């Protein structure tokens, strides 16, 4: 599955935002692989509003993106949704979500005059996330094949959380080459993530030449890595995409079970498509660098 972390187009330079998005997502569509996207802070700066951009995205082929939760009439932003990854067909987990993916709209810019800077994830979105997480946890811990704890969750949005600024070169994997472009206020979403207990990693975009992962209070906070050529980068520093792989347990009967580990690395757009910075984001046993 291919996931786009926002600023899918640079709206300011786009004379036709729909055509620009068609081009941006064309490789995933042509490959016929499932893909999903969230909004960044520049997508709406062209000929479509944020609402219009998200409506266009959800209408494209092979996308799993959703406009907003169908059961909610009021929620901030566009493109708040979750995807459930079911167990292997024929296994005892085919009707359970063994990996939960959450997507949120982190906004563009502050709409509060007294607060400058970028947007943030609002209380209505956090409440939806909490309720969704709790519902998925109950289902996972209920028969058949009731589990003892939540299935692992991964969260995707564009603007990094303020907590990302707490890392330095001694406690992350990757590089930090620019400041952390988070909101100027702390919305408390990181605390919400910790409280729910199921989220193992958060993936954000926004800062194009940062590509690191660092762990804080049991949650990995990761950049996707600068991927697109339509925006700024750094000379001599190859564009890159983060790869995330969830591996499954083998049951005693030889079938497939639940998720046992989540690993990541980055693939560079160089001559050899070099893979770098492999690490274990989460496992049922431990986390750390891949040997």
């Amino acid at each position: 599955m291919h996931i786009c972390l926002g600023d899918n187009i640079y709206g300011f330079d786009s004379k036709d935002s729909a055509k620009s998005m068609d081009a941006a997502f064309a490789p995933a569509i042509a490959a016929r692989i499932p893909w999903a996207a969230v909004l960044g802070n520049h997508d709406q700066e062209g000929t479509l509003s944020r609402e219009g951009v998200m409506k266009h995205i959800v209408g494209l082929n092979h996308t799993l993106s959703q406009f907003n939760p169908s059961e909610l009439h009021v929620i901030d932003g566009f493109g708040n949704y979750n995807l459930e990854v079911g167990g292997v067909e024929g296994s005892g987990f085919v009707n359970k979500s063994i990996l939960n993916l959450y997507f949120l709209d982190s906004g563009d810019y502050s709409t509060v005059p007294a607060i400058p800077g970028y947007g943030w994830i609002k209380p209505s979105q956090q409440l939806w996330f909490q309720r969704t997480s709790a519902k998925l946890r109950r289902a996972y811990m209920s028969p058949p094949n009731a589990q003892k704890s939540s299935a692992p969750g991964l969260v995707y949005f564009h603007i990094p959380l303020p907590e990302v600024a707490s890392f330095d070169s001694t406690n992350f994997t990757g590089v930090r080459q620019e400041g952390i472009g988070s909101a100027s206020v702390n919305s408390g979403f990181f605390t919400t993530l910790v409280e729910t207990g199921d989220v193992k990693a958060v993936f954000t975009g926004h800062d194009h030449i940062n590509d690191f992962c660092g762990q804080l209070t049991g949650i990995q906070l990761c950049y996707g890595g600068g991927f697109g050529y339509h925006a700024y980068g750094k000379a001599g520093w190859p564009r890159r995409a983060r790869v995330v792989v969830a591996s499954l347990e083998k049951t005693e009967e030889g079938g497939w079970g639940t998720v046992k580990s989540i690993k990541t690395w980055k693939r560079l757009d160089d001559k050899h498509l070099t893979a770098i910075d492999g690490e274990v984001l989460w496992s049922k046993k431990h986390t750390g660098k891949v040997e």
Side-chain angles (χ1 to χ4, degrees), residues 41 108-120 159 181-185 206:
N41 57 296
D108 50 5
Y109 302 96
S110 170
T111 56
V112 181
I115 302 175
Y118 295 113
W120 57 88
I159 297 174
S182 58
S184 61
V185 294
H206 196 51

Side-chain angles (χ1 to χ4, degrees), residues 67-193:
F67 183 71
N68 262 338
S70 57
E71 71 276 13
L72 286 184
H73 297 295
V74 179
I75 187 170
D76 287 279
F78 305 99
N80 302 287
Y81 57 102
N82 70 290
L83 298 174
E84 301 175 22
V85 181
V88 174
E89 193 167 337
S91 74
F93 299 94
V94 66
N95 293 318
K96 280 188 180 291
S97 178
I98 61 172
L99 179 66
N100 298 314
L101 310 180
Y102 304 94
F103 302 82
L104 295 103
D105 180 2
S106 54
D108 50 5
Y109 302 96
S110 170
T111 56
V112 181
I115 302 175
Y118 295 113
W120 57 88
I121 293 170
K122 305 291 176 34
S124 65
Q125 298 167 281
Q126 297 193 42
L127 181 60
W128 164 78
F129 167 77
Q130 288 172 306
R131 288 176 172 173
T132 304
S133 173
K135 180 185 70 174
L136 291 166
R137 180 172 61 252
R138 286 193 299 270
Y140 194 65
M141 297 175 68
S142 298
N145 286 318
Q147 300 299 296
K148 296 179 180 178
S149 60
S150 304
L154 305 176
V155 180
Y156 302 86
F157 51 89
H158 182 69
I159 297 174
L161 297 171
E163 285 80 3
V164 175
S166 68
F167 298 118
D168 59 43
S169 58
T170 66
N171 58 3
F172 64 65
T173 301
V175 296
R176 175 176 174 173
Q177 302 177 118
E178 63 179 309
I180 309 302
S182 58
S184 61
V185 294
N186 193 320
S187 70
F189 189 48
F190 181 74
T191 302
T192 299
L193 294 172

Side-chain angles (χ1 to χ4, degrees), residues 48-84:
L48 289 173
S49 64
R50 288 183 78 75
E51 180 178 4
V53 168
M54 202 65 214
K55 282 183 175 177
H56 185 81
I57 289 173
V58 301
L60 295 174
N61 289 334
H62 307 300
T63 191
L64 300 177
S65 307
Q66 298 171 29
F67 183 71
N68 262 338
S70 57
E71 71 276 13
L72 286 184
H73 297 295
V74 179
I75 187 170
D76 287 279
F78 305 99
N80 302 287
Y81 57 102
N82 70 290
L83 298 174
E84 301 175 22

